[in-house]
Amino acid sequence: MSAFDPKRTLRGSLMHFVRLGEFLAVSRITGPTHNLLQIRLDGTGSRPICERLPAAGGCSHKPLDEDALVRYVLEGVAEANGELGTAYSVAHIRYVENDTPPEVVYGFMAKRLIERLHSGSEFVPGLSTES
């Protein structure tokens, strides 16, 4: 695990939750850092598809480690499942090519997304990105 402590660092971070067709999305923008995570859930538990979305805006950063991002997302969902007594599983992950590290943030975001879904809290309807 990274030395990054999301509970300490992300305390009070504003996250936005959106439903995009079959995908649930969470984003956080704190100024110099920005992250978008979109996930589609299913019941199979097989390895998810991971899709890198085109860069947004003009900034560039060291590329995210996709394997680490997937690992952290799955860990975040597993942690939420353990705490909630649920069995959500991820079929498809999307992230933006020029989003900022560290990858562990995506695990924290995935956990918060599952907690929000389980609690019945709102996901704002967005435009579907599916063709």
Side-chain angles (χ1 to χ4, degrees):
M1 199 62 135
S2 166
F4 175 79
D5 180 0
K7 290 179 182 165
R8 183 175 53 80
T9 306
L10 299 180
R11 186 172 306 152
S13 276
L14 185 57
M15 290 191 271
H16 298 280
F17 297 88
V18 179
R19 183 177 298 274
L20 301 164
E22 292 184 344
F23 284 83
L24 299 174
V26 56
S27 64
R28 71 182 269 281
I29 301 172
T30 62
T33 63
H34 43 84
N35 307 93
L36 171 70
L37 172 65
Q38 298 177 1
I39 61 175
R40 183 171 51 82
L41 301 170
D42 74 358
T44 66
S46 59
R47 175 105 175 136
I49 297 165
C50 188
E51 179 181 355
R52 185 176 50 243
L53 300 173
C59 64
S60 62
H61 308 280
K62 175 183 147 194
L64 292 167
D65 178 337
E66 191 168 284
D67 290 334
L69 185 146
V70 170
R71 185 176 72 250
Y72 285 122
V73 167
L74 296 179
E75 286 175 6
V77 171
E79 187 175 336
N81 281 335
E83 291 175 9
L84 300 170
T86 55
Y88 294 105
S89 64
V90 178
H92 196 145
I93 298 169
R94 291 177 176 164
Y95 70 97
V96 177
E97 181 176 6
N98 65 336
D99 271 354
T100 53
E103 290 79 357
V104 70
V105 169
Y106 291 88
F108 179 79
M109 292 169 65
K111 182 177 185 231
R112 291 292 178 251
L113 187 145
I114 295 299
E115 291 169 344
R116 187 173 188 92
L117 178 65
H118 184 72
S119 73
S121 296
E122 181 181 17
F123 284 79
V124 176
L127 297 175
S128 177
T129 57
E130 299 170 47
S131 309

